Amino acid sequence: MVTEKTFTAGSEFPALAKGTLRHYSMRFCPYAQRSRLVLAYKKIPHELVNVDLKDKPDWFLARSAQGKVPCIEVDGKCLVESLIISEYLDEAYEPKNALFSKDPWTKAEQKILIEQSTEMTGPFYTLLRNSEGQKEATEKLANFLRKYEKNLKGDFFGGDHPDAVDYMIWPWFERLGVLSEQAGFDFSASEFPLITAWWNRMVADETVKATMFDQSTHTAFVRSFLAGKPNYDIGLD
């Protein structure tokens, strides 16, 4: 079994058995969490390898040319990009238990809602780093949340159960508590009652529980990241 601890530059490549699906990840990366959610939801047998994104091993760069996670490998073939990987896993494993709709129109609507989550990344890190443009970033983030508040029609975006939209956008919502603590961002139930209720349902979901970290752990990682010395192995010692 491969360790959960992070592999850094100069580390030996962990041997990969033929036919084994390997997921290259970083424990606190929201994009890597997307594919980990799909792996957990579909109960796909796999091997997890966490990599140091500041000091990447050469063998990882040989598999992910841009040095990004997630990346999956099986029998010498590799895929990158979180949404592409998630969709591949959804189609290739247990297709009857699909997260993405089989209806082309509905699937397109799912992808629109997922794509909109990219609007959160810039404002999120502006607030986290206390960079210039805090007021604008706060308003952009609030507008992002209003879009999802408007589009949530049931208990989940998938209706009475989570679907691809719920799991693909979840990683950013999981980290909103850190923004509240670090930057004073107000994610209030009074302004976002539907999303707040959805958030509470998501943290009770078994798939989410299998991949999430609590706020104190996220905060500890963020503080190490902002200090320029990210501690990828928090909680593993």
Side-chain angles (χ1 to χ4, degrees):
M1 180 179 177
V2 177
T3 177
E4 276 192 64
K5 288 199 171 183
T6 301
F7 286 83
T8 191
S11 60
E12 185 178 345
F13 175 69
L16 179 59
K18 182 176 176 58
T20 299
L21 173 68
R22 175 174 284 174
H23 184 254
Y24 296 98
S25 182
M26 188 277 273
R27 295 171 69 225
F28 298 99
C29 174
Y31 292 99
Q33 189 180 2
R34 279 178 161 180
S35 41
R36 287 195 295 115
L37 282 159
V38 179
L39 288 163
Y41 174 77
K42 305 206 115 186
K43 297 179 172 58
I44 300 170
H46 67 284
E47 204 174 71
L48 181 68
V49 170
N50 290 308
V51 296
D52 185 332
L53 296 184
K54 280 200 76 170
D55 200 9
K56 305 175 181 80
D58 289 341
W59 47 259
F60 172 64
L61 292 171
R63 288 159 172 78
S64 176
Q66 293 180 312
K68 297 196 299 184
V69 293
C71 170
I72 60 170
E73 178 180 8
V74 63
D75 292 339
K77 298 184 293 185
C78 296
L79 283 178
V80 294
E81 300 294 344
S82 63
L83 190 54
I84 290 171
I85 290 171
S86 297
E87 190 172 352
Y88 164 76
L89 294 172
D90 192 45
E91 291 180 358
Y93 297 87
E94 299 295 333
K96 291 181 180 179
N97 194 24
L99 289 167
F100 286 92
S101 175
K102 300 298 183 184
D103 175 71
W105 188 272
T106 303
K107 185 175 184 178
E109 290 181 325
Q110 287 178 312
K111 287 188 171 183
I112 289 170
L113 285 173
I114 293 167
E115 182 62 27
Q116 287 176 351
S117 68
T118 60
E119 297 173 22
M120 189 174 184
T121 307
F124 185 94
Y125 285 104
T126 295
L127 290 171
L128 206 57
R129 293 186 173 107
N130 198 22
S131 305
E132 187 177 341
Q134 294 281 297
K135 185 177 179 181
E136 182 183 4
T138 297
E139 186 54 34
K140 282 183 177 179
L141 196 55
N143 284 336
F144 163 87
L145 294 174
R146 290 182 191 113
K147 287 182 182 179
Y148 284 100
E149 180 81 10
K150 181 180 178 181
N151 281 283
L152 183 60
K153 307 299 184 185
D155 285 349
F156 301 96
F157 289 93
D160 60 359
H161 57 84
D163 71 357
V165 177
D166 298 275
Y167 289 137
M168 295 301 100
I169 70 173
W170 170 252
W172 286 268
F173 284 89
E174 181 176 313
R175 290 156 176 78
L176 283 179
V178 179
L179 277 189
S180 177
E181 186 172 326
Q182 292 290 109
F185 180 77
D186 184 21
F187 174 47
S188 65
S190 58
E191 186 172 2
F192 306 108
L194 299 181
I195 287 296
T196 301
W198 168 82
W199 192 96
N200 289 326
R201 285 188 286 269
M202 287 294 286
V203 296
D205 177 73
E206 291 303 317
T207 296
V208 168
K209 288 195 287 188
T211 68
M212 76 179 294
F213 291 103
D214 60 27
Q215 185 173 319
S216 63
T217 304
H218 275 302
T219 298
F221 172 74
V222 164
R223 287 175 177 168
S224 73
F225 171 78
L226 294 175
K229 297 180 180 179
N231 182 355
Y232 299 113
D233 292 339
I234 287 173
L236 295 181
D237 296 326

